[in-house]
Each structure stands twice: as structure tokens, then as C-alpha cells.
Amino acid sequence: MKTFTYRTATEAAGGLEPGATFLAGGTNLVDLMKLGVATPDVLVDVTRLGLGEVTGLPEGGLRVGAGVRNSDLAAHPLVRRDFPVLSQALLAGASGQLRNMATTGGNLLQRTRCRYFMDPTTPCNKRRPGSGCPAREGDHRDLAILGARDDCVATHPSDMAVALAALGAVVNTSARAIPLAELYTDEAPDVDTVLDHGELITSVDVPPVNGRQAYRKVRDRASYAFAVASVAAALEVADGRVTDVRLALGAVAHKPWRALIAEETLRGRPATRESFLAAADAELAAAAPLRDNAFKVPLTRNLVASVLEDLA
Amino acid sequence: MTTVGQPLQRLEGPDKVTGAARYAAEYPVGDDLAYAWVVQSPVPRGALRNVVADPLLDPIAVLWHGNAPRLSDSDDPELALLQSGRISYRGQAVALVVARTLEAARRAAQEITLEIEEEPHDAVLRADHPGLYTPEKVNPFFPAETSDGDVDAALARAPVTVDVTYETPALHNNPMEPHATTALWSGDDLTLYDSNQHPAGVAATVGAVFGLDPSQVHVVTEHVGGGFGSKGIASPNAVLAAMAAKVTGRPVKLVLPRQAMFSMVGYRTPTIQRVRLGASADGVLTAVDHQAISQSSRLFEFAEQTAVVTRHMYTAPNRRTGHRLTRLDMPTPRWMRAPGEAPGMVGLECAMDELAVACGLDPIELRVRNEPAVDPESGLPLISRHYVECLRQGADRFGWAGRDPRPRQRREGDWWIGTGVAGATYPTMALPSTARVRDLGDSRYEVAIAAVDIGTGARTILTQIAADELGVPVEQVRIRIGDSTLPKASMAGGSTGSASWGWAVTGACRELRATGKLEVTYDSSESVSGQKAGKHAFGAHFAEVRVDAVTGEVRVSRLFGMYACGRILNPRTARSQFIGGMVMGMGMALFEEGVLDPAMGEWVNHDLAGYHVPAHADVESVDAAWLDVQDTEANPMGSKGIGEIGIVGSPAAILNAVWHATGVRIRDLPARLDKILPGL
């Protein structure tokens, strides 16, 4: 591990010297430092900034402090009552021990688990720009089918972020408010988000949502595995027709994938399996799978229809 | 009162739970302790020309073949560490960094520049690989080929045939405690605190490499956090730690990181198995053919005995088995729990399930119809086999009766539900060992043997055996194991530990009582040499699975094993062995796979986030039971080895249940959802 200095942040303001990075729960960053993937000179600990509160917003939503631990957020009474999709997504992620450490802000900013990114002895455009992407020809079963670049097919690993994407969350930083859908960028493989260096996520606002909600995660074993595919959904049905729907897909893209095309297709349509499948097909029409991850297309299609059917 | 057969708790259990038990990397060996980190080759084939370290990082030492001490030749080319620049696989140790802290050693290793002339490589095993050849023998000493009768003619005539190819991927041992060594020299004497399955063997091997007399090497292996075969022989870390300690004059600790365990300590070779069965319409086998292909490294021929198990399971007039091997630019495969039997029974027992379907027979009935009267290979009488009883009684306990044989018949919500069965077997062996017993007075005794407890319960069982033989409660027996300087013992491997060490302990205790001496050392070599060859333990595995119709996800609702393994010495530790093997079999059936990037010659999922073993949530109901049988001819305890049979057959039972649930036959492991989903 590269030698670094450590200090505690005293205020939730942005600004960091070059080579410095924020440290919260450390469940991803510290691993990457051990592997030599991340090599910060300075760690600035933000866990003592008082960002650990969950508060109700006047309009009925929630403001979640960036330092709120995943396990606390999943168990919070307001989350369980008003945003079960968020609670379910959090509990589907990682392990109990990791959820006890991991924070809301850190969860959003975790890096891809693409095997080549995690192994500094291999090329990776995200880790070393211009070095190449072995995943495209190599192991990409778990990687992106939607919105991928030619030079990077990484997926975002978070479950929580998929639920927040469906809920239309807004990320508050030390400088501005960013809709979650705009937090992640595909501008270059090595740039994950639009955050400036030293810009600190302070909280996440979750607006109220209509209808019933669910998160469903497909994984290779029953726990402690990243998603092969996942769906976060909220669905409101009146008189057999879809009046409101929010849909996001996980493990299919470099970001939690808000399925806006599917949502648009569904609004006003009968809440039937046929409609749900048609909506999934509309969203997945743009899918460009690779040799070994084409199964994610029918899998995600099944999943979308199944989750929405359960909610209808 | 007899203590053998009682469910004693592990004697070292409280020490392990409280953290008092010391493992190889946990011994306080002085303030000048240094840490070593292995630099592994980033290419699968080539020549290392130079190693350049970052001078700013200032490690204590950077060793590579240009400056490392010369070692004596070993039988194991994997231990010729840092002796030449030839690179035989990606992940091979090519340099070693020693520093004052673990982090500094790791950092310096990451910043090393390797000047390598890379060469084209070949990393992929395939059935038409031009390099395939028939090895002279397969692990450890079986003939590579056997043939009885005319298999091809019998297959051509058979009213019912099955001709299937099953493939198993590379599998990787992942004991909780990684391979680790703390090495220190005192003059020319070497002490190794080392995680292994054979302290005396490690002492002899490492001693030979450094040109030392065995008496100059002391290997301490008090506790081991799992081995599964991967610690059966001296590992590269033992030699590297000793080398680093020699060069730096400091005690050196070397713990392999999880990633290195995928290439540096052996793995289970991938296999491609073609199984052909011929049978009469009523399911009596007329022909059995099992041909297995596997791989080894450029350095060393390890030939997995995949098809050997087929030589003993079922009778047929025409039988053939064979093995072919190819040498690739990949790490050396070695032992992993039930080498041979575990992958081989996937091929045979899944093919038998397919034959049962083809014949319209219950799969248990099919197996019973092909139960031999004598050992199919040797023609020798069957001794304490009990396979049919395991199938029958296991079926009763599992609730097999009334099973609809048709696939895809039972559905609850989104779940397709099915059940499967498969046989299990493992050879029964004992190896020569020596034990010493001392009368300490006051009806107290000390028993010493260089055995090792890798988590099996060996320490506890040997104490029970000694207590009974000495006629005292277990509290009055002090057992000493885990040290190469104790009387020489065989390895904790091949499910031989309790039989081999127990035999020596029994002999020593009986002689002490018979002679009235205060100290007896007993060597079992002579009596062990009289044991009957060709004995096996048997069992039957049953699985109930459910498969999600929406996603193809498989979950194992129930896993049950019924065993005939002679006398069970300690039901508590035995049950742990059985169900541990079965859970490992679940991993083999559903999750575990070294994912190869052929262009890199690397298993890219080389950590426990990428290489999935069963998590607790995957193990819903697992249980084991056994027949009350003894094999008084096997050894003085009447026991048979139980460490491996749990993984033999449990994968096939699960795969057969997946077929029964869904109608989808998965013939390339693991049975992941992306393979199942298209068939749902």
C-alpha cells in the first residue's frame, strides 16, 4: 500500500489538495488501495462531519446524510415505511459487516468491480487511460449491455443506487444539487462522475413516490454477490391502467440505468404482463451485448415483467 | 466407558473461538521480524531478464533469480524458486520483496519493474488439443488406462445407450487460512511456523532444498485453518520465507494473499469427460466407457485420476477407462478434496441419471440393478461395501418414495422443484506412522505423533482413541501433534489421517499396557502393510433444488448424505466433515469456476468476491447420517476415512435435481443461471 497521510475533515466544505481523496466507510477505497488500484497521497476522513442523519422533508420525501451507514438507512422507520424499494436494495447488497461500515455517499461513488479494473497487472482504460480494455474480448459476463463505450464496458456495482435512480433522487454536494441520473458520466472511461475534485457529497434527497415498490436482485449465489441483473420499480395502477411508474435497472450499465423509455411506454397502458414485456423490450432495444452477456437481455426482460406483475 | 463414538467437542475449540490458537503467521518471533511479498509473473510464458526495484521504496531485500541463493534440486520443480528466468505460467513467483512492514513490502512489490521477453502461450484445455497424450500413470499411482471386454461392440449392440460429455472447470482451494510461513534461522537450524498438512514432509522437503539434514529443520503446525489437499506438500511460501530469512538474517513472515492462491498452490484441473454407457432395456449395464481429459503445467505432470472411480462403481462385462493430459502454460494442478473422485463422479453419476431416464427407471433402482457381486476391477470380494443400503436407507430418510420421475412437474410460485440422487465412494487407506506414548504416572499419559489437525477434529479423535486403549478418561491423556520433531506421521490427506495415526496410537498404547513400560514408540509400518487393498467407503447423496422460472437462479432446499464409512469415531466432528464436503460439492455444482482469460492465461476472478463459494444463505438444510457398520479389517478402530467422500457425488445429485426440476441438463459446470435460463 502506498504511504499516505491521514486527516479528519472538520467541515463539510469542498476543496482538496491534488492527490487527496475523501474516506468514509472505506469498504471499497481501502481495498483498492491495498490492490494498488487507488494510490491517494492524503486521506481526508469525512465520517465525523455530522452527515449521519435521516430527516423527513416537508413534501414527504427524505434527506439522507451522506454519512448514514447502509445498515442504518435500510432499517430506518421512514425508509421502511415510505421507500421499501430502498430498504430492500440496501439489504440485498454486500454483507452485514460491510453494510455496517458503508455509507450512502460512498455507496454511490464505489468503483466498478470489473476484474481487469481490480487487477493492476492488466490493462484497463478506467484505471490507466489508453491501456486498453481486455474485458471486451475477455471476461465480461457481468458487464454492461446498455450505454457502454467501445473502450469500457464496466458496470456500476451498487444496489442502493438503482433504487435511488428509480426514486429520482437528487445528490447534494458541497457545491450544488445534482439529479442522480446526471451524477454518473460516460464522458471518458476513467471518469465515473461529474463531481469535481474535492466536491463532497453531503446528502441525498429522495422525493416522495406513488404506488407500490420493489427491488429484485438476481445473483449467482443467495447472498454476498454483486447483481447479475436487478430491477427497482415503483408502480401505481388505477382502473387496471398504469398511472405512474418508475423503473431502474442494475448491473447493465456504467450507471444505475433509469428505464425512461420503458416508463414512457407504460404510462396509461393496461397493467398487464403484455404491457410490461413490451415496455422492457422497448428499453432493451438499444442493448448491445457482448459474446458472454447476451443472456442479460432476456433475463432483464423477465425480471422487469415479473417485478411489475407482482406490483400491479 | 468407551469415548470413541462419543460426540466430544474439539479439544482446541475454545482456543480457536477465543483467538488463543496460534496459526502460522501469528507467532511472536522478535522485533526484527520482516515481511515478504511475492512478485508474480504478469505473463504466462517468457524469460525474465531483469528486475528493477524503485530505490525510493528502499526494501530490505529484493530477491530474484539474478541474486537469490542457489537451492538444491527438489522432486518438485515448483520449489526451484527464483532459480531461473524461465516463466512457465502467469502468477509464478519471479521475485520476492522483504520489508519492515507488510504494507511496505507490498508497495515495493507493486512498483517492481520486470523486464520480460514474452513468448506466445497456450492456456486453453480442449478435447482436440494437439498436445494430448496418455500419461504413464494417474495420481497417485494408478494405470492411466484399463479395458475389459469389447466396449465398442457392446455399445453398438446395446438397446439403450448414453453418450455424453461433461465438463468441469478449474476449481481453487480456498481454505480460510491462506498458505503462510514464518521462518527463522538459528545458525544452520531452520524453524518454520507453517500452515500445512504434513509437518514432517515439509521439514524433509524444505530441508533438502536448503541442503539440510532433516534434524536441522523444525516445522511447527499447531493449528491449520483448512487445507483440502493444497497444503499436502511444501508450498512455495515455505521455501521463499526460509530463503528471505536466510538472506536478511531476520525472521520473515510470508502470507500469500488470496489472489496468489489461485495460481501458486495448486488447483483442481478442468476436466472434459466423455462417458458412454450401454444397457439392456431393463437397465442392466453392458458397457461402461469413461474417458477423461485434463491439464497440467509445463513444470510438472500432475494427472488427475478422474475416471478411476468408474473402475469400482458398477459392474458390466465391457468396461474401459482412460486419461489424457496436455501441458499448458498454466499453473500446476494438484490435489483438491477428493481429486479424481469429485470430478469423475460428476461424469459417471450424471450419465447414470441420464441412463435411468433413457430406460424409464428410477435412478436408485438403476444403480441397484448394476451393483457388482465382486469388485469390478480386481474381481476381489466386496468387503463392507453397503452402497445399496446407503441408497435405500438414504431414500427412506430423504423421502424419495413416490417421486414423479418426469422432469418439470412440480412448481410452487415461480419455483420449479426437483430432486436428484448420486452415489459416493472414496478409497479406504492407511499409511505407516509412528506414535509415542508415555506413562506420566497417576494414570496420566502423553501421546505424541507428528500428525496435524487441519480442522477435521484429528486432535480430539486421537485423544479418544488413546483414552480407550489406555482405559482412562480423555482428561488424563495429553496429545501432542503439529510438530515435525515428534514421531513421524503420514500426511493429513487422502482421508487417511485418523486411520493411519489412530493405528499407530492404538499400537503404542496396547504395547505400553501389555509390557508395563513407561514409554513406548510404535511404528505401524508392518501391520499397515498387511491391510487389504481396494477397500472403499460408500455413500449416497440426495438433493432437492428449486429453480426460479423467471431468472434461472438455483437454490438447494435440501442436501442429504447417507454414508457407510465404518465405525464413526466422533459423530460431531464426522458430521462436520460430511456436511462440509457436501457444501463444497454444492459450490462445485453451482458456483465455483476459475474464469479463464485465454489471452492472458489468467483466472481473472481470483478473489472471493469473484470466485463464489457457497455463502451461509445458500445452505438451507444440509444433513448427514450413517449406517452403524464397522470394518474390523480396515484398521484396529474399524473406521474408514471420511474427509473427502462428502464432496463425491453431492455435485451430481444437485445437477440431477436441476434436471428433474426443469428438464434442463447442465453438462458444463457450474450450473449457472445463464446456462439454465434459455431452457426454462
Side-chain angles (χ1 to χ4, degrees):
Chain A
M1 190 184 284
K2 184 180 164 191
T3 305
F4 58 91
T5 58
Y6 168 91
R7 70 165 193 269
T8 305
T10 50
E11 53 175 356
L16 280 179
E17 61 271 43
T21 193
F22 293 120
L23 173 73
T27 57
N28 187 207
L29 177 60
V30 174
D31 276 354
L32 295 176
M33 290 169 66
K34 289 185 191 171
L35 292 169
V37 174
T39 52
D41 298 312
V42 184
L43 287 185
V44 181
D45 186 337
V46 295
T47 57
R48 294 174 209 179
L49 290 176
L51 302 175
E53 296 296 318
V54 179
T55 46
L57 293 175
E59 321 82 68
L62 286 182
R63 173 160 291 175
V64 181
V68 174
R69 307 285 170 171
N70 285 179
S71 46
D72 292 338
L73 186 57
H76 196 281
L78 285 177
V79 176
R80 290 168 52 122
R81 188 190 72 191
D82 296 338
F83 301 100
V85 63
L86 179 56
S87 186
Q88 290 166 18
L90 283 158
L91 293 175
S95 67
Q97 293 92 329
L98 287 166
R99 293 194 294 270
N100 285 341
M101 284 301 290
T103 63
T104 307
N107 190 316
L108 292 174
L109 298 182
Q110 59 181 314
R111 311 295 309 271
T112 185
R113 295 318 198 277
C114 173
R115 276 114 192 207
Y116 303 98
F117 174 74
M118 300 277 285
D119 182 350
T121 68
T122 67
C124 169
N125 287 327
K126 189 179 276 299
R127 180 168 30 76
R128 204 164 69 235
S131 62
C133 175
R136 182 165 278 279
E137 293 298 320
D139 175 46
H140 52 242
R141 174 181 178 262
D142 297 340
L143 300 181
I145 58 169
L146 285 168
R149 297 171 55 96
D150 285 346
D151 55 358
C152 183
V153 289
T155 43
H156 193 269
S158 172
D159 293 296
M160 180 196 80
V162 182
L164 289 176
L167 293 168
V170 175
V171 177
N172 300 309
T173 77
S174 48
R176 52 186 163 155
I178 308 168
L180 183 72
E182 294 164 26
L183 176 66
Y184 302 99
T185 176
D186 58 357
E187 164 196 329
D190 60 317
V191 182
D192 286 1
T193 72
V194 300
L195 297 179
D196 295 322
H197 180 72
E199 186 174 359
L200 178 67
I201 296 179
T202 53
S203 65
V204 177
D205 287 350
V206 188
V209 66
N210 299 320
R212 300 178 64 207
Q213 310 163 27
Y215 184 74
R216 181 143 174 214
K217 175 178 182 177
V218 180
R219 49 187 144 184
D220 285 324
R221 62 179 168 191
S223 79
Y224 199 35
F226 292 101
V228 175
S230 73
V231 168
L235 181 71
E236 189 184 54
V237 177
D239 301 328
R241 289 192 176 269
V242 174
T243 50
D244 198 2
V245 60
R246 312 290 190 84
L247 194 63
L249 312 177
V252 294
H254 65 284
K255 61 180 180 180
W257 189 266
R258 178 80 180 265
L260 291 170
I261 298 170
E263 291 180 10
E264 190 55 40
T265 309
L266 270 176
R267 280 199 192 86
R269 295 288 171 85
T272 61
R273 180 169 176 82
E274 289 66 36
S275 304
F276 301 145
L277 284 171
D281 287 339
E283 188 69 42
L284 292 164
L290 301 167
R291 183 192 63 228
D292 291 333
N293 66 2
F295 74 95
K296 283 191 177 185
V297 177
L299 175 63
T300 305
R301 178 179 191 264
N302 278 3
L303 204 56
V304 167
S306 177
V307 168
L308 292 176
E309 264 189 299
D310 286 349
L311 293 177
Chain B
M1 179 188 119
T2 307
T3 68
V4 169
Q6 300 298 316
L8 237 69
Q9 292 184 27
R10 282 177 172 77
L11 299 176
E12 75 282 10
D15 279 354
K16 285 182 173 171
V17 171
T18 58
R22 282 213 175 103
Y23 293 81
E26 299 177 338
Y27 285 83
V29 288
D31 291 340
D32 54 346
L33 174 68
Y35 294 81
W37 194 273
V38 179
V39 180
Q40 297 178 267
S41 171
V43 307
R45 183 179 173 121
L48 176 64
R49 295 301 180 207
N50 197 15
V51 172
V52 183
D54 182 343
L56 293 176
L57 294 172
D58 195 27
I60 297 170
V62 176
L63 301 176
W64 59 292
H65 72 271
N67 65 3
R70 296 298 95 189
L71 300 173
S72 300
D73 282 343
S74 160
D75 293 340
D76 182 355
E78 289 279 3
L79 297 183
L81 289 148
L82 315 185
Q83 300 298 293
S84 93
R86 174 98 317 246
I87 292 167
S88 300
Y89 57 86
R90 198 182 206 278
Q92 187 175 3
V94 293
L96 188 72
V97 177
V98 189
R100 284 293 290 153
T101 68
L102 178 68
E103 292 77 13
R106 182 174 201 166
R107 179 66 183 158
Q110 286 166 346
E111 293 302 309
I112 288 260
T113 302
L114 303 173
E115 294 172 12
I116 295 172
E117 286 173 29
E118 192 173 353
E119 299 165 11
H121 68 272
D122 178 7
V124 183
L125 179 68
R126 47 182 218 267
D128 60 351
H129 195 283
L132 285 168
Y133 68 98
T134 301
E136 275 190 27
K137 60 179 174 55
V138 294
N139 178 62
F141 46 63
F142 297 110
E145 295 182 320
T146 60
S147 181
D148 269 320
D150 187 339
V151 167
D152 295 324
L155 284 169
R157 279 198 308 270
V160 186
T161 54
V162 165
D163 181 350
V164 286
T165 298
Y166 276 82
E167 298 189 30
T168 62
L171 300 173
H172 300 272
N173 274 309
N174 272 293
M176 207 154 36
E177 182 202 19
H179 295 60
T181 309
T182 306
L184 57 156
W185 292 82
S186 171
D188 286 335
D189 290 342
L190 173 63
T191 299
L192 299 174
Y193 299 94
D194 183 66
S195 184
N196 66 75
Q197 297 172 228
H198 193 199
V202 170
T205 302
V206 176
V209 164
F210 286 93
L212 302 173
D213 187 83
S215 66
Q216 292 174 280
V217 186
H218 183 189
V219 174
V220 180
T221 309
E222 187 71 30
H223 299 289
V224 178
F228 310 111
S230 69
K231 297 173 180 172
I233 52 176
S235 305
N237 45 285
V239 173
L240 289 170
M243 183 191 280
K246 184 99 183 163
V247 169
T248 62
R250 296 167 178 265
V252 170
K253 186 186 287 191
L254 173 52
V255 180
L256 292 189
R258 187 61 64 182
Q259 289 84 353
M261 292 177 60
F262 286 76
S263 52
M264 280 183 62
V265 298
Y267 59 99
R268 194 196 299 285
T269 172
T271 72
I272 303 170
Q273 306 174 44
R274 185 177 183 196
V275 181
R276 289 189 293 172
L277 305 174
S280 63
D282 55 356
V284 176
L285 286 166
T286 55
V288 176
D289 186 22
H290 192 169
Q291 301 295 327
I293 292 170
S294 61
Q295 74 186 40
S296 195
S297 68
R298 301 280 179 207
L299 286 175
F300 185 78
E301 180 184 275
F302 178 90
E304 179 109 352
Q305 71 273 36
T306 310
V308 166
V309 68
T310 296
R311 298 172 187 171
H312 305 283
M313 280 304 291
Y314 303 112
T315 190
N318 304 286
R319 302 161 55 256
R320 187 166 63 199
T321 61
H323 299 83
R324 283 187 302 155
L325 193 66
T326 193
R327 309 289 284 273
L328 300 174
D329 301 302
M330 291 296 287
T332 306
R334 303 268 194 188
W335 302 315
M336 181 169 177
R337 204 172 196 170
E341 282 82 6
M345 284 289 265
V346 169
L348 178 63
E349 288 297 278
C350 290
M352 285 294 280
D353 202 66
E354 300 204 44
L355 181 64
V357 175
C359 294
L361 269 179
D362 177 80
I364 293 176
E365 184 57 30
L366 173 73
R367 287 167 172 82
V368 172
R369 285 187 190 184
N370 292 288
E371 176 71 357
V374 295
D375 181 79
E377 185 70 16
S378 63
L380 293 170
L382 301 172
I383 306 162
S384 67
R385 184 170 158 112
H386 306 296
Y387 177 40
V388 171
E389 290 159 79
C390 288
L391 287 165
R392 296 276 195 225
Q393 292 200 29
D396 285 347
R397 294 201 189 205
F398 180 76
W400 186 264
R403 172 184 185 261
D404 187 337
R406 297 171 300 163
R408 211 177 162 89
Q409 294 299 314
R410 192 171 151 206
R411 183 155 170 170
E412 291 175 13
D414 280 341
W415 295 106
W416 290 110
I417 296 170
T419 53
V421 64
T425 186
Y426 197 81
T428 295
M429 292 175 286
L431 300 167
S433 289
T434 302
R436 183 184 67 218
V437 57
R438 281 180 181 148
D439 184 340
L440 304 177
D442 202 19
S443 292
R444 309 188 80 83
Y445 300 89
E446 181 198 82
V447 175
I449 180 167
V452 60
D453 190 328
I454 61 171
T456 57
R459 178 182 275 105
T460 310
I461 289 157
L462 293 177
T463 305
Q464 290 175 271
I465 291 169
D468 281 0
E469 291 296 337
L470 295 163
V472 298
V474 287
E475 294 75 21
Q476 288 167 225
V477 176
R478 188 172 77 194
I479 184 94
R480 290 180 60 198
I481 62 169
D483 188 314
S484 66
T485 60
L486 297 172
K488 196 171 175 178
S490 57
M491 155 195 321
S495 298
T496 64
S498 295
S500 309
W501 309 329
W503 200 323
V505 167
T506 300
C509 292
R510 286 182 184 173
E511 190 176 321
L512 187 94
R513 288 191 84 178
T515 61
K517 290 180 185 169
L518 291 178
E519 178 176 323
V520 163
T521 299
Y522 176 85
D523 179 348
S524 71
S525 297
E526 199 174 316
S527 48
V528 165
S529 68
Q531 67 181 317
K532 285 210 170 73
K535 280 171 170 285
H536 293 80
F538 281 89
H541 286 125
F542 299 82
E544 180 182 277
V545 307
R546 56 189 199 281
V547 181
D548 191 310
V550 175
T551 65
E553 287 167 295
V554 181
R555 302 289 181 248
V556 180
S557 310
R558 288 193 292 147
L559 195 54
F560 177 68
M562 187 80 210
Y563 300 96
C565 295
R567 185 183 184 198
I568 295 302
L569 303 172
N570 180 326
R572 183 190 299 262
T573 56
R575 181 175 183 279
S576 172
Q577 287 287 287
F578 288 133
I579 65 174
M582 290 158 67
V583 170
M584 207 164 163
M586 180 196 298
M588 185 173 172
L590 300 179
F591 311 127
E592 294 185 44
E593 174 181 23
V595 176
L596 179 69
D597 182 320
M600 293 191 183
E602 181 184 37
W603 291 295
V604 290
N605 59 334
H606 49 212
D607 59 33
L608 291 179
Y611 184 90
H612 288 167
V613 298
H616 278 97
D618 292 297
V619 184
E620 298 182 4
S621 164
V622 58
D623 204 4
W626 44 86
L627 302 173
D628 182 18
V629 291
Q630 295 199 21
D631 181 3
T632 49
E633 291 184 31
N635 57 53
M637 291 79 64
S639 65
K640 293 184 173 184
I642 58 171
E644 281 154 289
I645 193 168
I647 195 178
V648 181
S650 55
I654 291 168
L655 294 164
N656 293 339
V658 168
W659 173 82
H660 187 237
T662 62
V664 179
R665 190 66 80 172
I666 299 297
R667 297 194 184 91
D668 61 326
L669 276 56
R672 286 193 325 245
L673 60 95
D674 48 307
K675 301 174 188 173
I676 297 171
L677 191 59
L680 295 181

